[in-house]
């Protein structure tokens, strides 16, 4: 989709949105007056700002199209600031309220794209087609009369020298735009094949912002080839993953006072290189950050807590297809203490004449049981009554605190989002306007706000795009 504009080397508009991904499309619609968080509908008034969208790629919405396995996980039924990593959680809370998940669903439903909710809250278009999501967004942009120019590669942003002047936005073809306000919605560096090159982050850095180091997030993990999961490629199992400094004692790791570097509970899929799935994705950003900082860390897996009789995973334990998301942070269990583990295992330990490998295989995949017992130097053919206290102590650690042998992540090539970016503390917490450069607004992945897996990053795109677009439109009308 490309809407032609008058072919001049220098063009003017009220609001120029750089980047036509999820955040940019919503920012443009909000600036033009085409969004109503209550009704979901809206068309520009006669006095609506002149808004223009630029996209560096000729192909539009590539990240939308590939998200959620081609289904596009739009948002989540339950969203709050605890679902995000940020330097200003309270600001995230306020911005999410401006255009919440309910408003997102209303927006798409009002335009012929109804949604449905999966277990654990992931929301998808009823058609299960990401193309319908993109089509709805582009249709709204066209209905609002917003020119969308692609390809149009921005190479430099120059702020006005005087208050009476405009921004100067230079393009790679030698042309220029002179808007009153600029919204940066260029995304991060994740999935570079979709056009994400980190331009916005580079420009914000050049223009004087202190950028929190960008890193790939929601990306697969790399594990030692000879680690405890070696040879189990293709296995899917629920697990609690905990990232901690090396040297933490088992009783500390299970203690209520210990604060991990990251923790997530959900499905884990073993791959030839390591692990992927909701739980690995949700800790991947912290894993990469710790390793970049040179920290000696261990990624522990607890394979027991989510298959125990009591616990937050019980509603999903027997489903044919495990939920494609991790538990909310407040519901994520820490590894059990040795005492709690013995209590949970009491029914199994009472089966004294049975083989330990067979007993555990009633709860966990047999291949995983064999691998974990082998790594713990426990003979899987022992009868339960043959396990002495030392064996039971090793069994406790083998099931609840397994060192997976973390070596890294698969990086930006497989990452769904980019963590880091311009700190919220350097932006107005309500409008997302730069505190250093009046008239410059940010939204989406260029901001230091990263959600966990489950539609939370799209929700941030909608909410932050709405806030930046509304604010830019107001500022341009006052300029």
């Amino acid at each position: 989709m490309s809407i032609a504009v008058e072919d001049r080397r220098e063009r003017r508009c009220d609001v120029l949105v750089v980047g036509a991904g999820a955040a940019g499309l919503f920012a443009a619609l909000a600036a033009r007056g085409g969004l109503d968080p209550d009704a979901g509908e809206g068309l520009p008034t006669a006095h609506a700002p002149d808004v223009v969208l630029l996209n560096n790629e000729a192909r539009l919405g590539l990240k939308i199209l590939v998200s959620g396995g081609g289904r596009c996980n739009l948002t989540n039924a339950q969203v709050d600031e605890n679902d995000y990593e940020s330097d200003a959680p309270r600001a995230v809370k306020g911005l999410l309220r401006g255009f919440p998940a309910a408003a997102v669903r209303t927006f798409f439903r009002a335009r012929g794209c109804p949604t449905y909710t999966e277990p654990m809250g992931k929301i998808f278009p009823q058609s299960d087609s990401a193309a319908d999501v993109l089509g709805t967004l582009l249709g709204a942009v066209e209905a609002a009369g917003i020119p969308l120019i692609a390809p149009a590669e921005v190479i430099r942003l120059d702020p006005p020298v005087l208050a009476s002047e405009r921004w100067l936005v230079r393009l790679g073809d030698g042309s220029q735009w002179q808007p009153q306000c600029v919204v940066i919605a260029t995304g991060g560096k994740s999935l570079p094949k979709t056009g994400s090159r980190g331009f916005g982050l580079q420009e914000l850095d050049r223009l004087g912002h202190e950028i929190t180091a960008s890193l790939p997030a929601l990306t697969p993990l790399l594990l030692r080839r000879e680690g405890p999961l070696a040879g189990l490629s293709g296995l899917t199992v629920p697990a609690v993953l905990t990232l901690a400094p090396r040297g933490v004692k088992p009783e500390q790791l299970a203690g209520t006072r210990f604060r991990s570097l990251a923790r997530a509970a959900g499905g884990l899929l073993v791959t030839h290189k390591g692990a992927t799935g909701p739980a690995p994705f949700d800790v991947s950003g912290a894993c990469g950050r710790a390793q970049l900082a040179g920290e000696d860390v261990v990624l522990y897996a607890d394979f027991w807590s989510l298959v125990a009789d009591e616990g937050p995973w019980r509603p999903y334990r027997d489903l044919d297809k495990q939920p494609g998301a991790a538990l909310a942070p407040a519901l994520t269990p820490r590894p059990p203490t040795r005492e709690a583990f013995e209590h949970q295992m009491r029914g199994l330990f009472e089966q004294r004449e049975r083989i330990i490998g067979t007993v555990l295989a009633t709860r966990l995949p047999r291949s995983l049981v064999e691998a974990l017992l082998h790594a713990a130097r426990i003979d899987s053919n022992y009868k339960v009554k043959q396990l002495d206290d030392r064996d039971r102590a090793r069994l406790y650690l083998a099931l609840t605190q397994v060192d997976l042998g973390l070596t890294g992540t698969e990086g930006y090539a497989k990452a769904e989002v980019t963590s880091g970016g311009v700190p919220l503390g350097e932006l107005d917490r309500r409008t997302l306007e730069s505190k250093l450069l009046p008239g410059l607004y940010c939204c989406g992945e260029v901001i230091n706000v990263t959600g966990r897996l489950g539609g939370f990053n799209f929700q941030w795109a909608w909410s932050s795009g709405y806030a930046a677009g509304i604010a830019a439109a107001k500022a341009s009308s006052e300029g």
Side-chain angles (χ1 to χ4, degrees):
M1 175 181 177
S2 180
I3 305 173
V5 295
E6 185 180 349
D7 187 17
R8 293 179 292 166
R9 305 309 289 172
E10 292 188 6
R11 306 155 181 163
R12 291 192 169 208
C13 62
D14 297 321
V15 179
L16 185 68
V17 181
V18 183
L25 291 168
F26 244 54
L29 286 168
R32 183 68 173 155
L35 286 181
D36 183 335
D38 297 316
E41 302 181 36
L43 288 174
T45 66
H47 304 291
D50 180 17
V51 181
V52 174
L53 258 169
L54 304 181
N55 195 64
N56 65 333
E57 290 276 337
R59 299 169 299 169
L60 300 172
L62 294 180
K63 193 170 286 188
I64 294 174
L65 292 175
V66 302
S67 67
R71 294 192 297 149
C72 188
N73 181 191
L74 285 168
T75 183
N76 200 282
Q78 299 291 330
V79 183
D80 64 39
E81 67 278 11
N82 296 313
D83 296 309
Y84 298 86
E85 289 185 1
S86 171
D87 58 284
R90 294 180 69 179
V92 173
K93 180 178 182 179
L95 290 159
L96 291 171
R97 286 179 175 178
F99 206 95
V104 174
R105 301 188 74 173
T106 300
F107 168 85
F108 283 99
R109 182 177 64 249
R111 290 164 174 80
C113 186
T115 60
Y116 74 95
T117 306
E118 282 192 348
M120 295 182 69
K122 294 174 73 174
I123 293 174
F124 291 89
Q126 202 167 80
S127 64
D128 274 332
S129 172
D132 288 345
V133 173
L134 179 60
T136 299
L137 291 165
L138 295 179
V141 166
E142 187 169 14
I146 302 171
L148 199 168
I149 306 170
E153 185 178 10
V154 175
I155 60 172
R156 186 178 175 92
L157 306 173
D158 288 322
V161 177
L162 302 175
S164 59
E165 295 179 342
R166 291 170 171 257
W167 279 80
L168 182 63
V169 179
R170 303 176 189 271
L171 276 65
D173 63 3
S175 63
Q176 300 175 349
W177 280 90
Q178 293 184 5
Q180 290 276 21
C181 298
V182 177
V183 179
I184 296 183
T186 52
K189 301 178 183 179
S190 57
L191 293 178
K193 64 182 180 181
T194 64
S196 299
R197 304 186 184 100
F199 166 76
L201 298 170
Q202 296 168 12
E203 278 298 274
L204 288 165
D205 179 52
R206 184 185 66 80
L207 291 169
H209 277 286
E210 293 290 335
I211 303 298
T212 301
S214 58
L215 289 167
L218 303 191
T219 190
L221 301 177
L222 299 175
L223 305 177
R224 283 198 320 265
R225 290 186 178 182
E226 69 278 10
L229 301 185
L232 299 180
S233 178
L235 175 72
T236 299
V237 63
V240 182
L241 301 184
T242 301
L243 185 68
R246 187 176 300 277
V248 174
K249 296 179 179 179
E251 58 269 25
Q252 289 178 294
L253 199 68
T256 57
R257 293 185 179 183
F258 178 73
R259 296 191 64 180
S260 64
L261 299 174
R263 180 175 287 127
L268 177 152
L269 170 62
V270 183
T271 68
H272 290 292
K273 295 182 179 180
T276 188
F281 268 37
D282 278 355
V283 300
S284 62
C287 291
R289 192 178 309 116
Q291 293 191 322
L292 181 67
E295 299 175 16
D296 189 8
V297 295
V298 177
L299 183 64
Y300 293 97
D302 171 6
F303 292 108
W304 176 253
S305 292
L306 299 189
V307 300
D309 285 334
E310 305 99 11
W313 197 255
R314 183 161 186 168
Y316 319 109
R317 195 176 67 188
D318 298 324
L319 294 178
D320 291 335
K321 181 181 178 183
Q322 295 289 289
L327 292 171
L331 297 176
T332 301
R334 64 182 65 250
T337 62
R338 169 80 186 276
E339 181 181 14
F341 174 76
E342 293 278 346
H343 178 74
Q344 294 167 358
M345 289 283 289
R346 65 191 185 283
L348 300 182
F349 282 156
E350 289 171 356
Q351 304 175 47
R352 294 178 51 78
E353 296 299 326
R354 296 191 67 189
I355 301 298
I356 184 61
T358 302
V359 170
L360 293 177
T362 62
R363 300 294 181 89
L364 293 165
R366 184 65 188 241
S367 59
L368 178 63
V369 170
E370 295 288 346
L372 295 178
L373 293 181
H374 176 75
R377 303 187 307 281
I378 298 174
D379 190 335
S380 63
N381 292 313
Y382 272 13
K383 290 184 178 182
V384 172
K385 67 180 183 181
Q386 291 179 273
L387 299 177
D388 59 22
D389 186 68
R390 184 184 303 174
D391 291 327
R392 286 165 71 140
R394 288 204 298 262
L395 180 64
Y396 160 65
L397 295 179
L399 295 181
T400 68
Q401 296 189 24
V402 186
D403 179 352
L404 293 184
L406 176 71
T407 61
T409 75
E410 290 204 38
Y412 287 118
K414 296 284 187 71
E416 294 199 5
V417 295
T418 303
S419 69
V422 60
L424 267 173
E426 296 196 5
L427 306 174
D428 185 285
R429 63 188 306 142
R430 294 176 298 104
T431 67
L432 298 178
E433 182 180 22
S434 167
K435 292 180 180 179
L436 304 179
L437 301 160
L440 181 65
Y441 298 80
C442 300
C443 60
E445 278 188 70
V446 296
I447 303 175
N448 182 33
V449 177
T450 307
R452 60 191 185 91
L453 188 71
F456 299 100
N457 289 291
F458 268 118
Q459 180 58 50
W460 172 247
W462 314 131
S463 296
S464 62
Y466 176 78
I470 289 288
K474 182 178 179 182
S476 68
S477 66
E478 296 172 350

